[in-house]
Amino acid sequence: MGTGIEDYAMLSDQRTAALVSRWGSVDWLCFPRFDSASVFGALVGNREHGRWLLAPIEGEVLSLTYLDSSFVLRTLWASGGSQVLVTDFMPLGNGGSSIMRRVEGLSGSMRMEHELIIRYDYGKVLPWVRRNFDAVKGTESLVAVAGPHAAVLHATRLPKAKNHTHHDEFEVKAGEVYDFEFACYPSHTGIPEPNDVGLAMTQTSRTWRQWAAKIPTHGAHEALVRRSLLVLKALTHRETGGIVAAPTTSLPEFFGGERNWDYRFCWLRDAALTLQVMMTHGFEEEALCWRDWLLRAIAGDHRRLQIMYGVGGERELPEKILQHLPGYGDAKPVRVGNAAVNQYQGDVIGEVMVALDELRTMGGREDHFSWPLQKALLEDVLAHLDRKDHGLWEMRGEPAYFTHSRVMMWAALDAGVRAVTHHGLSGDAPAWEMARDALREQIMVQGFNEELNSFTQTYGSTEVDASLLVLAQVGFLDYADPKMLGTLKRIETDLLDEHGFLRRYRSESGADGLPPGEYTFMVCTCWLIEQYAHCGRLDDARRLLARLAAIVNDLGLMSEEFDPVTGRMAGNFPQALSHLGLIRAADAIEEAAGMRAARPRRGPK
């Protein structure tokens, strides 16, 4: 835990991502995809598991910023009267993936340290590294090979071998520029040629900036919303369209604990919610791209619907523990793969159907593939109406009737009815309507506790869950309905901490089958802001969003959780769901204040 989660920046080429620390160390990089094995794995281990350090031997960070609306990272270092600028980025548009780093002397002189430690397969495999001399060009590079994997370092100045690492120290004077490119490639292919770092920087920055220019203005929180939309784009695989929940694995939800999961996969829930926010911010092409990925993934066998898939739509994501890795801050185990892939979560089809319903409402057209598949999903909802599930939090305890899941099943059927009655599509609307209304009645009786005046986490329990705030979002009840306000009061009493942040549920209840202990969840706090904004508590919403904005890191990135006591971020980073929630929260405040057109919203039935 020498480097806080909040002290990392993300670089992305929309195939994979790297995390670079405030102090100049690339501690995480997987190749060739987000969900591949790591080349640099120090994030969940130590330097011996791979990293790439490039930083002054002595100096302090004056500023850490992204260039314009991009993922081109600029770190300004100072020592005495000397300053050095280090620029890190992953170029867009190249055939493969690489990290480029430029060191520029701005004033005086500064001594730099360069250390490259390449370790494949999550730090287990030591590659064979050699110097490669190009006789024609008179240039030299470092080449590392390990089975099917290879990497090359092109550099103004190469480090020297030292105890299975490569190390160098050099002086940078004002006006001097040193360029470095670390490129990954399949070992059976030729060594990639070096690229012009300056040109690649300009092109990459321009590409990000052109995309961001389409983001509409967004009032007081425009910078946060802009960066959050950029994060969603950065976490999307450019060829497949799949969006990963986060680029990391096993960053702990509780420091030193075992709530450590692999988030480098594509959850249907996250894909559906991403589709919604992209639509509402004018990115129709991206919305259709996510829809198509989502439908392709489901199409493998809709009767065996999974909650998550690989970046390309793969189904097999077996979970295993990497015993050789000590974990971030000694939080074990370090996991790759995710056993939750085999869980039944009743809410997932609801998120998918609600998002596609909004896409239709905004003018998106169905094709010969998309609507028949949605009808098949509705048949799956009918087939599982009496089945217990593990809930959206992927509980590892016994299945139960989670109220949120039941409401999302209701929402799926409601979207099906609307597709027929509002959009003229074919389907058995009477059957869906009958099932929808019966399910609503059941939820109102078994999911609501009259004594507590609150909906409950599961049928018959007395616990509450932050996911109950979603009930109003999908139109099951109005935000200001007395039952919704009673639930809100109970959530504030049981789950809101003294710092104003919200937990998912009481982990000490034992419902999740894991030892108790976790921090407040970013997305849950965002849901609370949305509820406040729409039920007449706009000032509370604004105050809470300001509090949330204050804990986002310097670069506008958010993790999964936050520990208000230590001021530390926790969980995988940056997390798509947190950024999705922040966008929705800011939207809700602007809608409630009359500064933004209201998004399509279903009324209570």
Side-chain angles (χ1 to χ4, degrees):
M1 288 172 63
T3 300
I5 292 170
E6 62 277 3
D7 289 321
Y8 280 98
M10 178 177 68
L11 313 178
S12 170
D13 65 358
Q14 294 186 261
R15 290 190 183 98
T16 185
L19 292 193
V20 53
S21 78
R22 172 181 288 271
W23 294 280
S25 181
V26 180
D27 289 341
W28 187 250
L29 173 68
C30 298
F31 177 79
R33 301 196 320 190
F34 295 103
D35 54 355
S36 300
S38 68
V39 180
F40 301 135
L43 182 69
V44 288
N46 54 53
R47 60 186 288 275
E48 295 301 322
H49 298 107
R51 73 162 183 173
W52 186 14
L53 174 70
L54 186 60
I57 293 175
E58 292 183 1
E60 62 175 332
V61 176
L62 290 186
S63 65
L64 186 71
T65 58
Y66 284 127
L67 179 62
D68 301 325
S69 296
S70 75
F71 286 92
V72 176
L73 180 70
R74 295 162 68 89
T75 308
L76 180 61
W77 293 87
S79 179
S82 303
Q83 290 189 354
V84 162
L85 178 66
V86 178
T87 304
D88 301 323
F89 66 100
M90 298 184 75
L92 297 174
N94 287 2
S97 290
S98 68
I99 299 177
M100 295 185 177
R101 314 188 77 174
R102 167 168 281 188
V103 180
E104 299 177 72
L106 301 183
S107 62
S109 66
M110 200 174 296
R111 193 153 186 82
M112 303 291 293
E113 180 179 12
H114 182 197
E115 182 178 66
L116 179 64
I117 305 175
I118 306 169
R119 297 290 186 269
Y120 287 98
D121 198 15
Y122 300 107
K124 287 194 299 185
V125 177
L126 179 71
W128 180 269
V129 184
R130 61 182 173 85
R131 284 182 176 251
N132 182 72
F133 182 71
D134 188 323
V136 176
K137 297 180 178 178
T139 58
E140 199 171 24
S141 57
L142 283 181
V143 176
V145 177
H149 306 296
V152 59
L153 176 67
H154 299 297
T156 303
R157 177 185 171 109
L158 292 174
K160 295 179 174 63
K162 180 182 178 181
N163 299 327
H164 300 300
T165 71
H166 283 77
H167 188 270
D168 187 28
E169 293 183 10
F170 59 97
E171 198 84 16
V172 180
K173 299 177 181 178
E176 292 183 336
V177 175
Y178 289 79
D179 285 338
F180 305 84
E181 179 184 15
F182 180 84
C184 297
Y185 64 100
S187 61
H188 65 274
T189 64
I191 299 172
E193 291 291 321
N195 290 287
D196 184 315
V197 173
L199 178 61
M201 186 192 308
T202 299
Q203 292 173 338
T204 298
S205 176
R206 182 191 303 123
T207 301
W208 283 116
R209 190 169 62 251
Q210 287 173 342
W211 187 85
K214 297 181 288 184
I215 299 173
T217 56
H218 213 288
H221 299 285
E222 181 171 347
L224 283 176
V225 171
R226 177 179 294 267
R227 180 53 57 185
S228 291
L229 287 165
L230 281 160
V231 167
L232 298 181
K233 182 70 170 174
L235 294 179
T236 303
H237 193 272
R238 68 167 77 174
E239 278 92 20
T240 70
I243 178 170
V244 295
T248 57
T249 181
S250 300
L251 293 183
E253 294 177 5
F254 192 75
F255 295 126
E258 63 181 76
R259 295 171 181 263
N260 317 316
W261 317 109
D262 193 346
Y263 275 16
R264 298 170 301 151
F265 306 113
C266 305
W267 271 252
L268 294 187
R269 184 183 300 111
D270 291 35
L273 293 170
T274 299
L275 189 154
Q276 288 177 286
V277 299
M278 284 296 171
M279 283 186 298
T280 56
H281 288 83
F283 291 97
E284 295 178 14
E285 182 180 338
E286 282 77 8
L288 290 172
C289 181
W290 274 298
R291 183 198 72 171
D292 291 346
W293 174 88
L294 186 150
L295 294 175
R296 286 197 309 272
I298 293 171
D301 185 349
H302 71 84
R303 291 181 181 83
R304 292 191 304 115
L305 182 74
Q306 297 182 180
I307 63 166
M308 72 181 84
Y309 296 84
V311 172
E314 297 86 356
R315 289 177 163 270
E316 297 298 323
L317 309 174
E319 183 176 302
K320 65 178 181 179
I321 292 173
L322 302 181
Q323 301 284 3
H324 67 286
L325 288 173
Y328 178 89
D330 295 323
K332 292 184 177 181
V334 175
R335 295 179 171 93
V336 294
N338 200 311
V341 70
N342 299 313
Q343 288 187 354
Y344 169 65
Q345 295 179 17
D347 69 298
V348 169
I349 293 179
E351 271 103 9
V352 170
M353 293 298 298
V354 166
L356 295 179
D357 178 50
E358 288 196 17
L359 182 59
R360 280 190 294 272
T361 300
M362 297 182 72
R365 295 189 176 184
E366 303 292 353
D367 58 29
H368 66 284
F369 175 49
S370 61
W371 176 240
L373 193 53
Q374 290 172 67
K375 288 198 292 184
L377 292 180
L378 290 171
E379 293 307 310
D380 285 352
V381 172
L382 294 177
H384 294 97
L385 279 176
D386 296 324
R387 184 177 178 183
K388 297 179 179 180
D389 78 315
H390 288 90
L392 87 161
W393 303 126
E394 297 168 6
M395 303 292 205
R396 299 215 170 184
E398 290 299 314
Y401 289 121
F402 283 89
T403 302
H404 168 265
S405 295
R406 310 296 286 173
V407 168
M408 294 311 300
M409 295 171 80
W410 170 91
L413 294 166
D414 185 54
V417 172
R418 287 167 55 86
V420 176
T421 60
H422 288 59
H423 300 284
L425 297 173
S426 63
D428 193 357
W432 299 337
E433 187 172 10
M434 184 181 300
R436 179 198 68 184
D437 294 345
L439 184 55
R440 176 181 173 79
E441 186 176 344
Q442 180 195 95
I443 293 166
M444 296 300 287
V445 172
Q446 299 187 51
F448 187 83
N449 187 309
E450 295 285 353
E451 238 178 82
L452 300 173
N453 190 33
S454 171
F455 286 97
T456 55
Q457 183 180 50
T458 58
Y459 283 4
S461 76
T462 57
E463 296 289 330
V464 286
D465 190 307
S467 66
L468 296 170
L469 294 169
V470 176
L471 271 59
Q473 294 177 17
V474 298
F476 186 77
L477 290 172
D478 187 79
Y479 287 96
D481 186 284
K483 286 184 167 59
M484 198 67 219
L485 296 180
T487 303
L488 171 60
K489 184 177 179 180
R490 180 78 193 285
I491 286 173
E492 289 176 314
T493 300
D494 286 12
L495 304 182
L496 194 63
D497 76 354
E498 63 271 25
H499 304 277
F501 299 107
L502 205 61
R503 293 187 293 164
R504 296 186 295 178
Y505 51 85
R506 292 191 327 113
S507 64
E508 54 269 33
S509 72
D512 59 15
L514 294 167
E518 67 173 16
Y519 304 115
T520 58
F521 252 64
M522 299 280 206
V523 74
C524 298
T525 300
C526 294
W527 290 342
L528 183 59
I529 294 168
E530 193 169 346
Q531 172 65 33
Y532 282 162
H534 289 306
C535 74
R537 295 173 60 177
L538 186 55
D539 287 343
D540 288 338
R542 285 174 169 151
R543 278 192 292 269
L544 188 50
L545 183 56
R547 197 172 298 143
L548 188 64
I551 66 171
V552 172
N553 82 358
D554 294 348
L555 297 166
L557 304 181
M558 301 171 67
S559 66
E560 182 180 31
E561 300 187 25
F562 180 71
D563 176 11
V565 175
T566 63
R568 295 285 314 280
M569 288 189 184
N572 286 301
F573 171 90
Q575 201 206 27
L577 196 58
S578 297
H579 285 278
L580 286 164
L582 188 147
I583 295 167
R584 288 184 59 113
D587 284 351
I589 287 175
E590 292 207 347
E591 288 175 24
M595 300 166 60
R596 179 182 178 84
R599 62 186 294 135
R601 187 170 297 126
R602 298 157 195 79
K605 303 294 186 293

